[in-house]
Amino acid sequence: MALAIETHKRALLKSISWRIFALTILGIISWIVTHSWIKVGLITIIYNLVQIFFFYLHERIWHKIKWGRIKHPLSEFDLNRELREEDKKIIEEQLKVLGYLD
Amino acid sequence: LKRAFRTIIIGLDGVPFSLIKELSEKQVMSSTRNLIKKGVFKQMDSSIPEVSSVAWSSIITGKNPGEHGIFGFTDISERTYQLSFPNFYHLKVPPFWEKRVGQRSIIINIPGTFPVRPLNGVHISGFVSLDLERSVYPPSLISKLTKLNYQVDVDSSKAHKSMDLFLNDLDKTLKARIDAYRLLWKEPDWQNFVLVFTGTDRLSHFLWEAYENENHLYHSYFLDYFQRLDKIIGEIAERIFEHDQLILLSDHGFELLEKEIHLNFFLKELGFLKIKPETKGDLTEIEFGTKAFALDPGRIYINLKDRYPKGSVKKRDYHKVREELIKAFSEWELEGKKVVKKVFKKEEIYQGPFLNQAPDLVLISNKGFDFKAKIKIKELWTKGIFTGKHTQDNAFLLTQRRVDEDIIGPKPSVFDICKIIEAKNSN
């Protein structure tokens, strides 16, 4: 499996190009159906506003669905959190038997 | 079809250059002898201090503690004097395999790499690890390792009860480690394979005496353990391809331990450390007036006023106190023998953004002396169950590329390993 890093610039450029692409398709279809530039404009504005709301709704619904999500045992490990007391005791014990601690 | 080169590192934790030289010459390690004949075999400097967490963090990043942020198995909270235990998440620089984008890596048992984090490949962390759940990536591997009876480390507490029990556990740990390596060698398309044996360090802590004394009850066991490792080294050497890079190394050396020297007792005797006589063995109990305290193995911290809650040394007196300490350590003799080989100021050995977290002084002990930082001890020195101690200037490096010699020079250090890996990578 090839692993590559997506830079912020590349991701931003892709977002913009996809928006232009999607708007153009919507514009062409709307114009073919309506033959009115005013209607094309209205459809574009309304469609995009409605899309924002439904995209949010769709995301929240998927967020609650656990299916297909592999949970790694470290996923809840807080990087900034101190070790648990029981973890510390185990480490202390491991270091003690090798003479590193009292 | 041109096969991509791979980097294979075999780590023998705590194995000195002198031991490899002797056992290979005596044919106890005949496979290693063959590799020495073909490659570059050097005595290597460890990190300062010469403990596995610091040395391995330096090996895998190529950086010094001032850059990677790991100064020991323990650290101290500046707010509370409480001990903390740095782990893989505290390593501030990525290890070499994380920088080799697109490459698959198999990483087994490197000390200081707990808890594991996701990577392109497999990672089993080394000492100090808490449980397999947090020591193994991907998690699907845990059940396979459990079937192999894999354990991250030998249970060293057994040595305090019975040496036979301990050696039995050491054998089991080694067998499972070998089984795990053989299983993971079959993983597809990896470019980096790191396998570290830490049983060598444990064996040397408890039975270095057995290595040096041919009449010792466990002398033959000691040699047999290294012979078993040598077989695995030979097996791996036969499995590699022509353009692969094979590196054998240790993180520090070992020598006979004569006396455990208790630095905090010394500081107490000289009036630098003030602590209640009935202490439970905790640095949180230090009292006002303390100028300095020690952490294992030879790390000295000056109790600065603005740094610690019971800080007693004003900033303007910092250099004066440090010089007083250097003088005291430099002149310190025990039974006519200098105790301290070298005293380093932090800026002499560390550079980087984490210099301010470093101990103010780091001591290297003279031959036979092992520095400890126990608090409640009531003697200057003791001699317990351990017969071996770490050394700083006697690790080893064996690489199969003759051109590596130009990169590492006559006396390499643990900080040079990434250079030879990267040189190979850019070829």
Side-chain angles (χ1 to χ4, degrees), chain B residues 320-365:
Chain B
K320 189 175 145 267
V321 172
R322 199 161 70 154
E323 289 306 320
E324 283 170 14
L325 285 162
I326 292 171
K327 189 170 181 292
F329 287 125
S330 305
E331 290 174 355
W332 186 10
E333 282 188 14
L334 194 62
E335 295 167 8
K337 215 172 127 184
K338 287 255 185 206
V339 176
V340 180
K341 187 176 175 184
K342 188 118 197 190
V343 186
F344 290 103
K345 292 175 185 171
K346 62 178 176 183
E347 63 273 21
E348 291 172 342
I349 45 173
Y350 305 133
Q351 302 84 40
F354 303 103
L355 181 66
N356 61 342
Q357 292 172 22
D360 299 291
L361 295 172
V362 187
L363 316 179
I364 304 282
S365 68

Side-chain angles (χ1 to χ4, degrees), chain B residues 26-276:
Chain B
K26 286 184 174 170
Q27 297 285 1
V28 175
M29 301 184 80
S30 50
S31 302
T32 309
R33 183 188 165 94
N34 292 337
L35 293 174
I36 290 171
K37 275 186 196 164
K38 289 186 281 179
V40 178
F41 179 46
K42 296 269 183 193
Q43 188 166 339
M44 182 166 77
D45 280 338
S46 181
S47 56
I48 302 173
E50 63 281 22
V51 290
S52 295
S53 58
V54 185
W56 282 108
S57 297
S58 306
I59 289 168
I60 63 175
T61 62
K63 304 290 181 188
N64 83 91
E67 292 168 291
H68 63 57
I70 306 293
F71 294 93
F73 278 121
T74 55
D75 221 321
I76 190 138
S77 161
E78 292 182 359
R79 286 165 288 131
T80 60
Y81 294 104
Q82 258 176 352
L83 281 185
S84 61
F85 304 99
N87 60 37
F88 198 32
Y89 281 138
H90 298 103
L91 186 73
K92 308 293 196 302
V93 184
F96 74 89
W97 61 85
E98 283 186 3
K99 291 194 279 187
R100 299 176 96 171
V101 175
Q103 297 192 356
R104 200 152 185 272
S105 302
I106 312 292
I107 310 296
I108 308 170
N109 198 35
I110 301 181
T113 61
F114 172 89
V116 292
R117 48 189 182 226
L119 78 165
N120 180 14
V122 172
H123 184 188
I124 306 168
S125 63
F127 182 79
V128 180
S129 289
L130 291 166
D131 45 51
L132 277 188
E133 281 66 34
R134 284 178 282 175
S135 304
V136 178
Y137 183 87
S140 57
L141 185 64
I142 294 171
S143 59
K144 289 178 192 163
L145 290 176
T146 308
K147 276 183 199 153
L148 298 177
N149 294 319
Y150 188 89
Q151 56 188 55
V152 170
D153 199 20
V154 57
D155 181 359
S156 295
S157 70
K158 288 183 176 167
H160 295 257
K161 295 167 198 152
S162 149
M163 204 49 78
D164 286 332
L165 267 180
F166 167 69
L167 296 181
N168 192 272
D169 203 48
L170 199 67
D171 289 342
K172 277 200 285 188
T173 312
L174 177 62
K175 186 186 174 300
R177 191 102 62 218
I178 293 167
D179 289 343
Y181 126 71
R182 285 179 180 148
L183 172 80
L184 295 171
W185 189 271
K186 294 180 212 153
E187 284 281 312
D189 303 328
W190 53 261
Q191 280 82 43
N192 306 301
F193 198 103
V194 185
L195 169 65
V196 179
F197 293 100
T198 37
T200 43
D201 175 273
R202 310 298 179 264
L203 182 63
S204 299
H205 269 294
F206 294 103
L207 285 175
W208 185 261
E209 196 179 32
Y211 165 57
E212 292 202 354
N213 178 3
E214 286 181 11
N215 299 317
H216 195 284
L217 178 64
Y218 296 108
H219 181 71
S220 56
Y221 177 90
F222 197 100
L223 299 187
D224 176 66
Y225 192 84
F226 277 86
Q227 201 156 33
R228 279 183 274 165
L229 284 175
D230 184 70
K231 274 190 187 151
I232 299 306
I233 291 165
E235 183 180 298
I236 292 173
E238 276 182 18
R239 284 177 160 195
I240 62 169
F241 302 119
E242 192 189 343
H243 296 293
D244 287 346
Q245 179 183 37
L246 176 64
I247 299 171
L248 252 83
L249 56 81
S250 64
D251 56 333
H252 56 79
F254 249 91
E255 68 179 12
L256 194 70
L257 187 160
E258 291 168 26
K259 289 180 172 70
E260 285 167 355
I261 306 288
H262 303 293
L263 292 172
N264 280 321
F265 185 88
F266 179 72
L267 290 171
K268 218 162 36 175
E269 289 286 287
L270 265 62
F272 285 105
L273 172 62
K274 297 193 186 303
I275 199 156
K276 289 171 195 153

Side-chain angles (χ1 to χ4, degrees), chain A residues 1-5 70-75 77-102, chain B residues 51 73-74 83-85 87 89 101-102 115-117 120 127-130 133-134 136-137 139 156-157 160 202 205-206 281 296 372 374-376 386 390:
Chain A
M1 187 185 77
L3 195 145
I5 293 169
I70 299 165
K71 196 176 169 193
H72 189 270
L74 298 177
S75 58
F77 199 94
D78 182 353
L79 303 196
N80 297 317
R81 196 189 66 189
E82 287 290 314
L83 287 168
R84 295 182 302 228
E85 276 311 306
E86 56 265 39
D87 291 340
K88 279 187 186 175
K89 278 186 184 141
I90 296 167
I91 294 172
E92 276 177 14
E93 205 45 51
Q94 290 192 36
L95 292 173
K96 269 181 197 173
V97 294
L98 284 171
Y100 291 119
L101 281 177
D102 251 326
Chain B
V51 290
F73 278 121
T74 55
L83 281 185
S84 61
F85 304 99
N87 60 37
Y89 281 138
V101 175
V116 292
R117 48 189 182 226
N120 180 14
F127 182 79
V128 180
S129 289
L130 291 166
E133 281 66 34
R134 284 178 282 175
V136 178
Y137 183 87
S156 295
S157 70
H160 295 257
R202 310 298 179 264
H205 269 294
F206 294 103
D296 199 280
K372 298 287 174 201
K374 293 178 179 179
I375 307 287
K376 64 179 175 189
F386 305 108
H390 294 191

Side-chain angles (χ1 to χ4, degrees), chain A residues 1-50:
Chain A
M1 187 185 77
L3 195 145
I5 293 169
E6 181 92 12
T7 63
H8 289 276
K9 269 186 193 169
R10 186 182 155 86
L12 183 67
L13 198 67
K14 272 168 70 180
S15 309
I16 294 167
S17 74
W18 168 243
R19 268 296 88 197
I20 293 168
F21 188 63
L23 281 175
T24 308
I25 292 170
L26 180 67
I28 291 168
I29 295 169
S30 304
W31 194 85
I32 291 169
V33 174
T34 65
H35 287 280
S36 160
W37 288 113
I38 293 168
K39 283 176 183 167
V40 167
L42 276 172
I43 287 168
T44 307
I45 292 164
I46 293 166
Y47 175 77
N48 277 287
L49 287 174
V50 170

